[in-house]
Amino acid sequence: MSKIYQVTGIGLNEKSLQLQETIFHNANGYIGVRGTLEEGVPADFDTMRGMYINGFYDIAPMKQAEKLCNLVEDKESMLNVADTQTIEVSFDGQKFSMADDADCRYVRTLDMEKGITRREVDWSNKEGKQLHFNITRMASFEERSLFTIDYCFQSIDFSGTVEIHSRHLGLVRNYFNPNDPRLAGESHNHLKKEDVHICESGACLVSSTIESHLKVASAVANIVTVNQKRQPSEVVTYDETAHAMDVSYRFDIRPGDEVRIIKYSIFTDSIREEDCRNVADEKLSKVVGQGIASYYKKQQEYLKEFWNNSSMEIVGDGDLNESLCFNMYQLLQSAGYDGYSSIAAKGLSGEGYEGHYFWDTEMFMVPYFAMTNPAIARKLLEYRYKTLGKAKENAALLGHKKGALYPWRTITGRECSGYYPSGTAQYHIDGDIAYAVILYYKTSGDWEFIKEMGLKILLETNRLWLDVGNYYKDRFVINCVTGPDEYTCIVNNNYYTNASAKYSMQWCLKFIQRLAEEKDAYQQFVKENDLTEEEIQAMKEAEEKMYLPYDETLGINPQDDSFLQKPIWDLEHTPQEEFPLLLHYHPLHLYRYQVCKQADTVLAHYLFPDYQDKETEENSFRYYEKITTHDSSLSTCVFSIMASRLGLKDKAYYYFGDSAKMDLLNTHKNSKDGIHAANMGGSYMAIVNGFAGLRAEEETLFLAPSIPEKWQGYHFRVRYHGSLLEICVNKETCSVELLEGEAVSLCIYGQEYTMDAGSRKAELSYQEN
């Protein structure tokens, strides 16, 4: 199956270009580069020209109207760290610009097997002379600090003088939009000049952040050839005020001549490197010495292994396959890999939500990596472990005597949410992170991770639950919190929150019991964490007596204690131009109605199926689907999964719909600000956990596949306890094959199987739910 996405066009269109800046961005989990044009765009175009480092930030003010105790008054923002993209080429004085040739034809390609983007342009200058451009970009998975531009052009019938300027800007600003709450509302100067260093390989500019006092180094080298013969640079200039470098070349070409500019950019930062400038210099020398061909080869090898683990195909639906490949590749590009970072809501593709990490990572992206590339899932959870201390500080700021409360949105672990009703009050983030820890353990069997990090996360978050909750009428209740639905805030006993707390406590107790079998390790854990028997018993009692709201009249789990008391919002007669509601109605107005931005109780039913019966799940599903707007991109995939579980095949396919194509089709009209990373994970889950009915438990992998009427079949690969499995489903059979690894216990349609070296494949007849 081809893993190539292409767009063709004629001329330069502002709206198309805005979307393409996101779709054709390059990233590798450390650096991200927007797919902007090397030559730039007309001054009146709205463009987000950005180069980012995952986890690199500065601090910006976030003024509160009233100075109440411990409200957040500043925030961390992911920075645009430099601009090494600019390459300007002139032909007899006329700059190459797609805006100057309305008839120029272009093809933009994302090759997900080679790990590159390519832009090909047929362009004519004002004299009608033609040139062909072929520009390839790569963010290397082999050397994460490396971004390359392989800029080639050939004269078709042009003869004359070529002038090239390769620019390197060390002081840049972030994009802002005061009319969109999902973007920074004002522009701040975050960087100042620190150092410049010209070495044999190229030049390195070092900048530092104004408030966070971090350093970033960007080192650049240019290799220019004409017909494979290297050209010397004519002028190298440094503008001290702008902290900018310009390397220029000038020569003559004739028809048939081929010019190639290879621009190597290295990025390093002081979060990860003590001396980021010297490290950048050393890495630049290394990559230039090895050459770009070497890194192209290693990029392809890395992705071959990635696709071997992540293979997925829908038989007979090429457009959907294209979207699914795109989504999985974007998740890989977005994922922090070193424990210093996680996955921002927009990955590294743009500045929507300012590069913050939310619950999205643990609930919609860790599941994908846990099932395909568990080493990445572990690193994402390691980031949460490293920020556990700050989560404890955050809990103390909110008045809690014990425990850890992870911030709703953050980069380093500090709370960056200025509006606490739909931000800090979402205490369920503690349950979300705990869920991801447990899921990773179930799929990987990595007990060492639980002992080293996972159990500490669960213990501190459960201490928070014990502190925030209390007993009322012999039930453990949790008041004044907000669930996943941000149209309903500051409520008592949000069903999702209470269920996630119960689940976390249940597994924390289970892990403690298992650790107790390792006497020395248990004693050390007890000592390091001041764990007492009284605390264990308190957790056990709270788990057993956790209040989970239930309405006998409707036979549903109410979203919270007061939800059913409110009038129902008339979604049917709400004009389409008033969606999303959050941009058109005051929050308090929304809070007074039964209207949901996204799956809340329905999500709890998917995650915690043992806490209610199937009849309650179906009643609740049908109730909440009538009042859910799906204004959040995280919603329809959850409804699809639950519809699959309930045997509602048509609804499952309806809610799956175009969710997998959200960014390629720009269905939410805001993909220009960056990808919807969590939705990408959610569309994967809708297939694997929804249609295929996959559920990982400690010792057994469960499957109950169904197939949408419009599909001929589907197959995908997953990792379970280190073994690689391939699941194939069509309208006649369902098969599971052990491709590599140790024995695996399966349960398919309720029948138990053991896959091992002697029995590597199980095949049985397809069954309707």
Side-chain angles (χ1 to χ4, degrees):
M1 180 178 63
S2 174
K3 294 177 174 62
I4 291 176
Y5 176 74
Q6 282 189 333
V7 170
T8 61
I10 299 175
L12 201 59
N13 176 278
E14 182 178 3
K15 285 193 174 182
S16 297
L17 183 60
Q18 288 175 333
L19 179 59
Q20 289 171 18
E21 288 180 0
T22 293
I23 300 302
F24 295 101
H25 83 282
N26 301 86
N28 59 16
Y30 175 60
I31 55 175
V33 182
R34 292 273 292 176
T36 49
L37 308 185
E38 287 79 9
E39 66 273 16
V41 295
D44 60 345
F45 271 38
D46 184 20
T47 181
M48 185 188 291
R49 193 174 184 88
M51 306 184 85
Y52 316 109
I53 291 177
N54 201 351
F56 190 85
Y57 68 98
D58 197 26
I59 297 168
M62 188 166 54
K63 296 177 183 178
Q64 297 283 355
E66 298 183 22
K67 283 188 171 292
L68 300 178
C69 180
N70 290 338
L71 290 186
V72 178
E73 296 195 46
D74 57 36
K75 61 183 177 181
E76 302 159 345
S77 292
M78 178 181 75
L79 292 193
N80 181 12
V81 296
D83 185 355
T84 71
Q85 301 182 65
T86 302
I87 298 175
E88 296 176 353
V89 185
S90 298
F91 301 91
D92 282 345
Q94 182 185 353
K95 288 183 181 180
F96 162 62
S97 171
M98 291 174 63
D100 293 340
D101 180 5
D103 296 322
C104 74
R105 296 179 178 273
Y106 71 86
V107 179
R108 297 194 75 166
T109 302
L110 169 62
D111 190 323
M112 293 168 274
E113 290 181 309
K114 293 182 178 179
I116 59 171
T117 58
R118 180 179 292 114
R119 177 166 63 111
E120 297 176 77
V121 184
D122 290 313
W123 181 79
S124 298
N125 68 4
K126 60 186 179 182
E127 306 297 333
K129 301 301 182 182
Q130 297 179 332
L131 295 107
H132 177 75
F133 292 79
N134 190 328
I135 305 165
T136 301
R137 292 177 161 210
M138 177 181 69
S140 172
F141 288 107
E142 172 67 18
E143 174 50 72
R144 302 274 182 157
S145 62
L146 174 63
F147 170 69
T148 61
I149 302 177
D150 194 350
Y151 191 109
C152 303
F153 60 88
Q154 181 180 27
S155 169
I156 306 302
D157 57 5
F158 171 82
S159 291
T161 302
V162 172
E163 188 170 351
I164 298 169
H165 287 271
S166 177
R167 305 192 194 279
H168 176 189
L169 308 181
L171 298 181
V172 290
R173 286 177 175 251
N174 278 49
Y175 180 86
F176 73 100
N177 184 341
N179 299 314
D180 192 332
R182 295 161 293 196
L183 291 159
E186 53 188 321
S187 177
H188 298 281
N189 182 23
H190 289 290
L191 295 171
K192 63 181 180 180
K193 180 183 68 177
E194 189 72 26
D195 191 12
V196 58
H197 180 239
I198 299 175
C199 60
E200 185 177 344
S201 301
C204 180
L205 302 182
V206 182
S207 304
S208 61
T209 56
I210 303 292
E211 299 294 338
S212 60
H213 307 297
L214 301 174
K215 293 181 181 180
V216 58
S218 50
V220 174
N222 297 275
I223 308 294
V224 178
T225 60
V226 179
N227 299 328
Q228 301 184 8
K229 183 179 179 180
R230 186 163 179 176
Q231 301 293 303
S233 60
E234 291 214 346
V235 181
V236 178
T237 58
Y238 172 67
D239 183 332
E240 188 171 357
T241 302
H243 195 35
M245 191 73 65
D246 181 10
V247 181
S248 64
Y249 301 79
R250 184 183 177 89
F251 47 80
D252 292 334
I253 63 171
R254 297 177 298 178
D257 284 349
E258 296 182 359
V259 179
R260 186 181 190 187
I261 308 160
I262 302 176
K263 189 171 186 177
Y264 299 91
S265 299
I266 290 286
F267 297 88
T268 58
D269 68 87
S270 61
I271 296 172
R272 297 161 173 88
E273 306 289 352
E274 187 174 344
D275 188 340
C276 58
R277 194 204 80 177
N278 281 343
V279 171
D281 285 343
E282 291 168 3
K283 289 189 174 186
L284 183 63
S285 179
K286 175 187 172 185
V287 300
V288 172
Q290 291 193 358
I292 198 167
S294 168
Y295 288 96
Y296 283 156
K297 182 174 182 290
K298 290 172 181 176
Q299 187 88 337
Q300 202 161 346
E301 290 171 352
Y302 180 91
L303 288 167
K304 183 178 180 180
E305 178 63 20
F306 168 74
W307 290 118
N308 181 61
N309 289 329
S310 305
S311 175
M312 172 180 281
E313 183 176 5
I314 311 302
V315 180
D317 193 332
D319 287 346
L320 180 54
N321 284 321
E322 184 177 70
S323 299
L324 292 170
C325 283
F326 177 81
N327 292 349
M328 290 188 283
Y329 183 73
Q330 299 307 326
L331 288 171
L332 176 66
Q333 287 201 127
S334 303
Y337 65 97
D338 56 8
Y340 289 100
S341 56
S342 185
I343 306 179
K346 299 295 183 182
L348 291 165
S349 68
E351 297 173 31
Y353 296 109
E354 300 179 75
H356 291 156
Y357 314 135
F358 294 78
W359 72 311
D360 306 22
T361 306
E362 284 73 27
M363 299 312 297
F364 296 93
M365 292 179 268
V366 167
Y368 165 70
F369 288 113
M371 297 302 299
T372 58
N373 291 269
I376 296 177
R378 194 184 203 273
K379 283 296 182 181
L380 294 171
L381 295 171
E382 185 179 319
Y383 159 80
R384 291 296 192 180
Y385 176 73
K386 285 185 175 181
T387 58
L388 182 59
K390 289 189 177 181
K392 293 170 73 172
E393 293 173 9
N394 188 48
L397 286 173
L398 272 73
H400 299 295
K401 299 179 181 65
K402 294 187 75 174
L405 177 61
Y406 281 96
W408 179 241
R409 56 190 297 175
T410 188
I411 292 178
T412 69
R414 294 172 64 246
E415 179 63 86
C416 295
S417 175
Y419 183 65
Y420 73 84
S422 61
T424 304
Q426 296 203 49
Y427 276 47
H428 66 82
I429 186 138
D430 270 12
D432 305 329
I433 293 168
Y435 177 86
V437 167
I438 297 160
L439 176 68
Y440 169 72
Y441 167 72
K442 285 181 175 182
T443 56
S444 69
D446 188 352
W447 174 240
E448 290 305 309
F449 168 78
I450 296 299
K451 291 199 296 183
E452 293 171 17
M453 294 180 251
L455 184 52
K456 292 179 184 179
I457 293 173
L458 263 64
L459 176 61
E460 292 298 341
T461 52
N462 283 317
R463 282 171 166 166
L464 188 284
W465 292 128
L466 291 175
D467 189 78
V468 71
N470 62 276
Y471 286 94
Y472 178 70
K473 294 184 178 180
D474 202 35
R475 299 184 301 195
F476 191 81
V477 296
I478 299 174
N479 295 323
C480 293
V481 295
T482 298
D485 169 30
E486 294 175 1
Y487 289 170
T488 312
C489 294
I490 314 294
V491 299
N492 295 341
N493 297 306
N494 169 254
Y495 181 88
Y496 176 93
T497 302
N498 288 21
S500 69
K502 178 180 176 68
Y503 186 76
S504 177
M505 291 179 182
Q506 179 184 333
W507 275 91
C508 186
L509 291 165
K510 192 170 186 175
F511 287 148
I512 288 171
Q513 184 177 13
R514 177 172 172 181
L515 187 63
E517 298 171 4
E518 303 176 28
K519 186 176 179 181
D520 292 344
Y522 180 71
Q523 289 178 347
Q524 182 179 354
F525 181 84
V526 168
K527 183 179 179 180
E528 289 178 353
N529 296 280
D530 297 322
L531 179 63
T532 66
E533 184 61 34
E534 291 77 15
E535 195 170 29
I536 294 173
Q537 290 304 313
M539 198 184 308
K540 184 177 181 182
E541 183 180 8
E543 186 274 324
E544 291 174 349
K545 295 184 177 181
M546 184 68 66
Y547 172 50
L548 300 177
Y550 177 76
D551 183 86
E552 293 187 359
T553 302
L554 296 173
I556 69 169
N557 293 122
Q559 191 164 293
D560 58 71
D561 282 355
S562 64
F563 190 78
L564 297 181
Q565 300 172 18
K566 303 172 184 179
I568 294 174
W569 187 287
D570 186 1
L571 287 179
E572 185 179 351
H573 294 99
T574 302
Q576 277 301 117
E577 60 268 20
E578 293 184 4
F579 292 94
L581 300 182
L582 68 99
L583 296 182
H584 298 90
Y585 293 91
H586 191 283
L588 283 174
H589 185 73
L590 295 172
Y591 298 166
R592 295 191 180 106
Y593 283 85
Q594 289 187 56
V595 60
C596 302
K597 180 183 178 185
Q598 63 205 84
D600 192 307
T601 302
V602 174
L603 176 59
H605 287 171
Y606 159 54
L607 299 175
F608 315 117
D610 296 335
Y611 296 162
Q612 60 283 316
D613 58 32
K614 190 170 182 178
E615 182 180 1
T616 302
E617 289 180 347
E618 183 164 353
N619 290 341
S620 299
F621 179 91
R622 295 188 183 280
Y623 188 88
Y624 289 108
E625 72 171 335
K626 296 175 184 176
I627 55 173
T628 302
T629 65
H630 306 292
D631 283 346
S632 166
S633 63
L634 311 181
S635 188
T636 55
C637 60
V638 176
F639 272 77
S640 178
I641 294 170
M642 273 310 298
S644 289
R645 179 179 292 174
L646 295 169
L648 307 173
K649 286 179 59 177
D650 291 343
K651 284 185 178 292
Y653 189 74
Y654 168 77
Y655 282 114
F656 179 72
D658 288 333
S659 64
K661 305 174 185 178
M662 181 174 290
D663 287 314
L664 293 183
L665 297 181
N666 194 21
T667 58
H668 275 225
K669 308 303 180 187
N670 62 356
S671 292
K672 66 181 179 63
D673 302 326
I675 61 171
H676 295 80
N679 173 73
M680 292 171 167
S683 63
Y684 173 88
M685 292 163 59
I687 295 171
V688 172
N689 304 111
F691 297 130
L694 185 144
R695 191 178 85 253
E697 295 297 342
E698 260 188 297
E699 298 178 353
T700 304
L701 191 66
F702 292 83
L703 284 160
S706 62
I707 185 168
E709 290 295 331
K710 295 184 179 180
W711 294 1
Q712 298 172 28
Y714 59 96
H715 57 82
F716 60 92
R717 292 181 179 181
V718 294
R719 283 203 174 271
Y720 179 71
H721 288 205
S723 295
L724 183 63
L725 302 166
E726 184 164 58
I727 292 97
C728 299
V729 182
N730 58 46
K731 294 183 178 180
E732 286 77 40
T733 62
C734 167
S735 67
V736 181
E737 184 176 1
L738 177 64
L739 300 178
E740 61 182 60
E742 303 298 321
V744 173
S745 295
L746 299 173
C747 183
I748 310 173
Y749 295 130
Q751 299 181 42
E752 295 182 359
Y753 299 86
T754 299
M755 308 290 294
D756 55 29
S759 177
R760 303 190 71 88
K761 187 171 185 178
E763 184 170 303
L764 62 160
S765 298
Y766 171 73
Q767 299 178 23
E768 290 282 356
N769 287 344

